[in-house]
Amino acid sequence: MDFPLLPCLSALAFLTTLGLAAAVRRPGGRLPPLPKERWIDMHTHVAGIGAGGSGCFVSPRLERSWKFGWYLRSFGVTRRELRRDGDAVVVDRLAQRLAQSRHVGQAVVLALDGVVDSQGGLDRAATEIYVPNEFVAAQVAKHPNLLFGASVNPYRRDAIERLEWCAAHGAVLVKWLPAIQDIDPADPRLIPFYRKLAELHLPLLTHTGAEHSFTTANDALCDPARLKLPLSQGVTVIAAHAATTGRYDGERAIDRLARLMSEYPNLYADISSLTQVNKHGDLREVLHRPEFRGRLLYGTDYPLVAMPVLVSPWYELTDLSWVRCRDINRITNPWDRDVALKQALGVPTDVWGRATTVLRLERRH
């Protein structure tokens, strides 16, 4: 997730001025074709406050933050609904919205483990957001269009057992957000965990680059270079957001990720969040760099993709015609609008359905 408000507003002002001046010159262009079958969004989020016995929570600091209200609105729920109906309403609302999409048939709903203390247990005080595997697994089982994205902090004393439980309950991947979970992907103590991931054929979806969605983050842990260890252990790794933000050792994160692409065939990246206003031009770069060819997967970073302040075709007037932006903006379903925008920006046909060849789908219950 990546939601920096001030950079977004600054980028919006700049792009609006630049785009209005250029829009009249933008040709329509021929769009890359879409697959006939509906495909998977492999990167969506849910959250909760513990209502209905979900086990979810967010830190008091995050709940007091202005960001939390934005997140609830983007989920399409209110605090009153959460307290009345329980956190499950967030998952229900996601499934209902997704069912109305013409193009996207399923979505991976991501759990998010917390920070672990020195005894290998959950450190609630240090955890910014917690979405338990048990909650996500139970809720997605109610919806045929949802898939279980697990999250296990490898520093848990029972991490291997938790991983096996997730696999047995239909997990299609494991999600990390190292900057807020305090996970170092380069830590050699994690080798047994990586070997179990590889044995279970569970891909690791891990955030790469700077993180702005939470109140605090240790961005050093999201350096793509730290992924060499799991890659060398045979883990299929998906670099969330293609490392399009942040710098490490004076080098852009995306350049460090691109080098790894050339070295490890088991490395992929997703295109979630790459149409956000603060990432203008990042999708174009990823699509044109040869290192990423054949390695990109479709994802949205829902619910952020449903927030017009973050994602809007009008931010793309420097690349798209006014007419095309208008037509895309009229699409009400957030997934179909996202597909139309990314298609117009040149996402090739092979990207949309690649998740079916990378995720662990054959054992879904």
Side-chain angles (χ1 to χ4, degrees):
M1 299 178 76
D2 195 2
F3 184 15
L5 181 63
L6 290 179
C8 287
L9 295 178
S10 300
L12 170 60
F14 172 75
L15 292 174
T16 300
T17 303
L18 183 61
L20 289 176
V24 293
R25 300 195 303 270
R26 299 296 170 200
R30 184 172 180 177
L31 301 179
L34 297 174
K36 294 181 181 179
E37 301 81 13
R38 296 201 298 171
W39 56 86
I40 297 171
D41 173 0
M42 46 71 62
H43 194 139
T44 70
H45 294 277
V46 293
I49 58 174
S54 70
C56 300
F57 67 83
V58 296
S59 69
R61 183 176 179 182
L62 179 58
E63 190 168 0
R64 290 192 301 267
S65 166
W66 58 267
K67 292 182 177 182
F68 190 65
W70 282 84
Y71 292 148
L72 289 182
R73 284 191 289 274
S74 62
F75 282 126
V77 302
T78 64
R79 290 175 189 262
R80 182 179 180 181
E81 284 182 295
L82 291 181
R83 295 189 182 104
R84 184 190 67 204
D85 302 326
D87 292 340
V89 70
V90 176
V91 184
D92 295 340
R93 200 63 49 82
L94 188 161
Q96 292 163 7
R97 280 179 162 182
L98 181 63
Q100 298 167 359
S101 170
R102 295 175 52 223
H103 300 297
V104 183
Q106 292 182 300
V108 179
V109 180
L110 302 173
L112 194 64
D113 204 355
V115 178
V116 169
D117 61 24
S118 59
Q119 304 304 309
L122 178 67
D123 187 341
R124 189 182 180 100
T127 296
E128 182 94 307
I129 181 171
Y130 182 63
V131 183
N133 290 307
E134 295 80 3
F135 169 72
V136 176
Q139 295 307 312
V140 302
K142 301 175 184 178
H143 302 284
N145 61 346
L146 301 182
L147 300 166
F148 173 29
S151 183
V152 177
N153 190 314
Y155 295 119
R156 281 189 178 269
R157 57 180 170 267
D158 58 348
I160 299 297
E161 290 80 1
R162 287 173 178 265
L163 203 54
E164 291 174 332
W165 183 95
C166 291
H169 286 77
V172 299
L173 58 77
V174 170
K175 164 67 173 177
W176 283 356
L177 216 170
I180 68 162
Q181 293 174 303
D182 200 23
I183 300 170
D184 181 1
D187 187 341
R189 293 178 295 171
L190 305 188
I191 287 177
F193 186 88
Y194 291 144
R195 289 178 175 169
K196 178 57 69 170
L197 276 177
E199 176 189 326
L200 294 171
H201 303 289
L202 275 170
L204 175 63
L205 170 65
T206 184
H207 185 99
T208 49
E211 170 56 58
H212 300 289
S213 294
F214 302 93
T215 59
T216 59
N218 181 2
D219 284 338
L221 298 176
C222 292
D223 179 356
R226 293 181 180 268
L227 299 177
K228 289 182 179 181
L229 182 59
L231 289 165
S232 70
Q233 297 300 311
V235 178
T236 296
V237 176
I238 306 167
H241 320 306
T244 49
T245 56
R247 299 182 70 88
Y248 301 93
D249 297 328
E251 185 179 25
R252 293 192 312 158
I254 190 173
D255 295 328
R256 294 164 81 85
L257 179 63
R259 265 201 314 279
L260 290 179
M261 287 283 179
S262 302
E263 187 176 352
Y264 294 100
N266 49 326
L267 176 60
Y268 296 84
D270 76 26
I271 59 171
S272 65
S273 85
L274 298 195
T275 50
Q276 288 181 188
V277 61
N278 60 305
K279 297 186 177 184
H280 188 260
D282 289 349
L283 179 60
R284 184 192 313 113
E285 178 177 1
V286 169
L287 294 178
H288 284 86
R289 291 189 69 149
E291 299 96 331
F292 293 98
R293 196 165 297 134
R295 304 292 189 87
L296 298 175
L297 285 73
Y298 174 71
T300 61
D301 209 14
Y302 178 92
L304 300 188
V305 72
M307 301 174 67
V309 70
L310 273 183
V311 181
S312 170
W314 296 116
Y315 300 158
E316 306 296 340
L317 280 170
T318 52
D319 295 298
L320 304 179
S321 70
W322 183 90
V323 171
R324 180 153 289 165
C325 290
R326 179 203 62 191
D327 291 345
I328 295 172
N329 195 60
R330 287 175 172 172
I331 300 172
T332 56
N333 183 269
W335 281 274
D336 291 346
R337 187 169 58 248
D338 182 66
V339 169
L341 179 56
K342 287 174 177 170
Q343 181 191 28
L345 292 172
V347 171
T349 307
D350 66 292
V351 171
W352 308 106
R354 180 165 290 115
T356 59
T357 67
V358 177
L359 302 181
R360 184 182 184 268
L361 298 175
E362 71 278 3
R363 292 291 302 278
R364 180 179 186 249
H365 291 185

